């Protein structure tokens, strides 16, 4: 999950929901650069193919981080292999560091800074620590060695902490990126260490000054996820192709004033309304804009699986969808079953039924653009959940109030077969319906 405003016991906001926990569906992103670097910096275009792997864990249905995008690359001198979760809802990239040389046997899933001659620590008195960490959810601090110290906390009680550092990042065999700042985390607490051990760290991709995409200087990046085979591609830089479907753009919302519950470096857009089968729902405009505290922003987040709406809006959508499916679907009727703690509208579908009936579409209307969720994507089959001879399918929109999230979050389940462009230079997001499997072929990205 990604950058949402949530609350701890002290009512302080964390700007992120990301679990380092159980993964039902992992997306493995292998670094296969298709376009060569130019001699200038940053590179013009990099293309990464997306691969998916389904991990079934029916007894641990957690909201947090059902899908991970994994980038494989090397870091340090000599290079060490690392795999990082690509996260558009985080700023600081970090690696799980192992600073011991016990038995001279390096952990393949950890980065060992002692073995890298190009590794450099960052003192807490440096401009990087003082001026470029201001948007961190928890302020950076000084440790006992006067090094810049970062602590990250997540909604499922996972956390990581360590020191800011810099090193050389090797992107394939084409170029080296020197001095890229990241967190070298030597203390990680996770609710599912077995799953988290499969990756070395996290690659932050939001609009913060220390995010990977900001440090690399890319003016934009895009991704497209297929709705059929869940394969896709990630493109860093300008797509620069003539066949790409014209995009509809919606501006990113900018609030320069610091507000307690507004994430200034998230990809925030303005939600104007919601339609069900073309019917515009009676939702007051006032509940769709951030209030004086910043609560109520709408964030586009590739790291969250589903879409979550504030309670008053969710209840209107839920009632209309329930009304339009009254003669088509059979409601589960179990008030104690709430999928992932926020999705309380579920249905029973016979196990032998291969196709769902025609379902109402749900359209998210933004300023200048619209995202249409149709077909099977409006529902989600709960893995391993069977009631008699029926499988359980839930409405793929949830109530963010039940999660303590003071925001609207647009998840990647509803971005399937949509070309998503994040234009940092012009502060906007572009989107267009597209067969992402065909886009992958046109870019020459294999499986």
């Amino acid at each position: 999950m990604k950058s949402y405003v949530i609350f701890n016991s002290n009512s302080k906001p964390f700007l992120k929901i990301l679990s380092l926990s159980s993964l039902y569906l992992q997306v493995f992103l292998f670094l296969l650069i298709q376009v060569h670097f130019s001699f200038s910096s940053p590179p013009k275009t990099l293309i990464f193919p997306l691969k998916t792997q389904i991990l079934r864990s029916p007894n641990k249905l957690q909201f947090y981080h059902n899908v991970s995008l994994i980038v494989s690359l090397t870091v340090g001198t000599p290079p060490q292999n690392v795999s990082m979760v690509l996260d558009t809802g985080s700023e600081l990239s970090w690696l799980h560091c192992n600073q011991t040389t016990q038995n001279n046997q390096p952990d393949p899933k950890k980065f060992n800074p002692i073995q890298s001659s190009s590794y450099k620590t960052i003192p807490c008195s440096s401009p990087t620590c003082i001026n470029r960490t201001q948007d961190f959810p928890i302020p950076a601090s000084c440790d006992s060695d006067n090094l810049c110290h970062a602590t990250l906390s997540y909604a499922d009680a996972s956390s990581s902490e360590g020191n800011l550092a810099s090193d050389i990042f090797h992107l394939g065999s084409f170029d080296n990126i020197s001095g890229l700042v990241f967190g070298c985390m030597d203390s990680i607490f996770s609710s599912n260490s077995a799953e988290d051990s499969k990756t070395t760290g996290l690659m932050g991709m939001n609009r913060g000054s220390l995010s990977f995409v900001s440090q690399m200087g890319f003016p934009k990046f895009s991704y497209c996820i297929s709705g059929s085979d869940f394969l896709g591609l990630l493109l860093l830089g300008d797509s620069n192709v003539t066949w790409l479907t014209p995009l509809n753009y919606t501006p990113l919302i900018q609030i320069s004033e610091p507000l307690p519950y507004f994430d200034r470096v998230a990809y925030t857009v303005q939600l104007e309304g919601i339609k069900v089968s073309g019917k515009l729902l009676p939702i007051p405009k006032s509940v769709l804009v951030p209030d004086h505290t910043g609560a109520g922003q709408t964030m586009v987040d590739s790291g969250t699986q589903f879409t979550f709406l504030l309670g008053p809006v969710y209840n209107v959508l839920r009632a209309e969808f329930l009304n339009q499916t009254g003669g088509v679907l059979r409601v589960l009727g179990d008030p104690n079953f709430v999928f992932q703690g926020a999705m309380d509208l579920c249905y029973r579908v016979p196990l032998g039924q291969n196709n769902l009936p025609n379902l109402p579409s749900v359209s998210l209307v933004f300023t200048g653009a619209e995202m249409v969720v149709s077909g099977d994507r409006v529902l989600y089959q709960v893995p391993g959940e069977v009631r008699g001879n029926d499988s359980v399918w839930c409405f793929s929109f949830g109530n963010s109030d039940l999660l303590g999230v003071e925001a609207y979050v647009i998840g990647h389940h509803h971005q399937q077969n949509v070309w998503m462009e994040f234009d940092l230079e012009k502060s906007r997001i572009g989107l267009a319906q597209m067969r992402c499997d065909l886009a992958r072929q046109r870019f020459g990205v294999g499986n």
Side-chain angles (χ1 to χ4, degrees):
M1 299 299 167
K2 293 310 165 224
S3 45
Y4 326 129
V5 182
I6 65 172
F7 302 90
N8 64 8
S9 58
N10 296 319
S11 297
K12 300 278 187 179
F14 293 128
L15 303 179
K16 171 94 182 130
I17 287 183
L18 165 70
S19 163
L20 303 173
S21 58
S22 173
L23 308 176
Y24 310 114
L25 177 69
Q26 278 196 330
V27 180
F28 289 99
L29 182 58
F30 297 101
L31 194 67
L32 299 175
I33 309 301
Q34 304 298 319
V35 181
H36 289 264
F37 277 92
S38 66
F39 289 105
S40 62
S41 180
K44 290 183 178 180
T45 305
L46 303 179
I47 300 178
F48 304 82
L50 295 173
K51 288 189 176 182
T52 62
Q53 178 180 353
I54 298 176
L55 300 178
R56 299 195 179 276
S57 243
N59 295 324
K60 195 163 188 178
L61 300 177
Q62 298 211 19
F63 165 70
Y64 318 110
H65 218 272
N66 283 348
V67 171
S68 294
L69 305 177
I70 308 299
V71 181
S72 297
L73 64 160
T74 59
V75 178
T77 307
Q80 301 177 41
N81 293 323
V82 299
S83 57
M84 306 175 74
V85 175
L86 187 74
D87 182 3
T88 60
S90 287
E91 177 175 359
L92 181 66
S93 301
W94 58 265
L95 297 174
H96 191 181
C97 288
N98 177 16
Q99 306 199 43
T100 64
T101 56
Q102 184 176 2
N103 299 325
N104 293 320
Q105 294 296 322
D107 187 333
K109 294 301 181 182
K110 295 181 181 179
F111 174 71
N112 194 332
I114 295 176
Q115 296 180 349
S116 174
S117 61
S118 51
Y119 176 85
K120 297 179 181 178
T121 57
I122 294 178
C124 57
S125 59
S126 69
T128 295
C129 189
I130 296 173
N131 300 324
R132 301 182 69 186
T133 63
Q134 296 177 356
D135 288 311
F136 284 13
I138 300 176
S141 60
C142 281
D143 70 0
S144 57
D145 296 321
N146 289 321
L147 299 179
C148 192
H149 190 79
T151 301
L152 305 175
S153 297
Y154 307 108
D156 66 340
S158 298
S159 64
S160 63
E161 61 178 292
N163 293 328
L164 262 61
S166 68
D167 210 330
I168 297 176
F169 280 60
H170 310 269
L171 301 182
S173 59
F174 300 101
D175 207 350
N176 301 329
I177 309 300
S178 301
L180 196 140
V181 177
F182 66 100
C184 191
M185 303 309 204
D186 52 17
S187 176
I188 295 180
F189 173 80
S190 171
S191 58
N192 194 330
S193 58
E195 290 296 343
D196 296 336
S197 65
K198 297 178 180 179
T199 60
T200 313
L202 179 144
M203 181 179 286
M205 291 289 286
N206 72 9
R207 295 192 293 158
S209 66
L210 286 181
S211 75
F212 183 85
V213 67
S214 295
Q215 291 190 68
M216 288 286 290
F218 285 107
K220 64 177 65 173
F221 67 94
S222 308
Y223 57 77
C224 198
I225 305 170
S226 172
S228 56
D229 56 13
F230 301 104
L231 299 176
L233 62 88
L234 169 74
L235 187 150
L236 301 179
D238 200 322
S239 58
N240 197 29
V241 291
T242 58
W243 54 264
L244 187 64
T245 303
L247 304 181
N248 294 315
Y249 287 96
T250 184
L252 292 172
I253 301 300
Q254 309 278 358
I255 297 181
S256 58
E257 177 188 0
L259 297 176
Y261 305 128
F262 188 88
D263 185 349
R264 295 188 299 173
V265 292
Y267 296 105
T268 302
V269 296
Q270 182 57 61
L271 181 62
E272 297 281 356
I274 300 176
K275 300 176 184 177
V276 178
S277 294
K279 176 184 176 181
L280 185 63
L281 302 182
I283 299 172
K285 297 289 186 182
S286 59
V287 302
L288 298 175
V289 297
D291 64 17
H292 66 283
T293 70
Q297 70 184 117
T298 299
M299 295 179 281
V300 181
D301 188 353
S302 67
T304 301
Q305 185 167 10
F306 303 110
T307 293
F308 297 88
L309 309 171
L310 290 181
V313 174
Y314 170 77
N315 290 333
V316 174
L317 173 60
R318 183 188 189 279
E320 182 60 32
F321 189 84
L322 185 61
N323 178 60
Q324 292 196 24
T325 56
V328 178
L329 293 173
R330 184 159 54 111
V331 176
L332 176 62
D334 181 357
N336 296 318
F337 183 80
V338 181
F339 180 47
Q340 296 197 352
M343 302 159 75
D344 62 357
L345 178 55
C346 300
Y347 299 91
R348 299 175 70 131
V349 177
L351 288 170
Q353 183 173 323
N354 296 323
N355 299 310
L356 292 174
N358 291 329
L359 299 171
S361 63
V362 176
S363 300
L364 302 174
V365 182
F366 307 107
T367 304
E370 189 168 321
M371 181 181 292
V372 180
V373 181
S374 59
D376 292 0
R377 286 186 298 148
V378 297
L379 297 182
Y380 181 80
Q381 184 176 4
V382 180
E385 191 70 28
V386 176
R387 301 297 177 91
N389 294 320
D390 298 323
S391 56
V392 175
W393 293 68
C394 292
F395 191 38
S396 55
F397 293 79
N399 186 344
S400 59
D401 287 6
L402 298 179
L403 300 169
V405 177
E406 288 291 318
Y408 301 92
V409 184
I410 313 301
H412 68 77
H413 183 74
H414 297 150
Q415 300 174 39
Q416 293 172 10
N417 282 332
V418 178
W419 184 272
M420 300 292 301
E421 178 185 277
F422 295 75
D423 189 338
L424 285 73
E425 192 171 55
K426 296 183 178 180
S427 294
R428 62 183 185 174
I429 290 179
L431 59 155
Q433 297 291 324
M434 177 173 290
R435 284 276 305 276
C436 294
D437 54 340
L438 298 182
R440 192 174 68 249
Q441 295 176 18
R442 294 293 293 269
F443 275 105
V445 177
N447 295 336

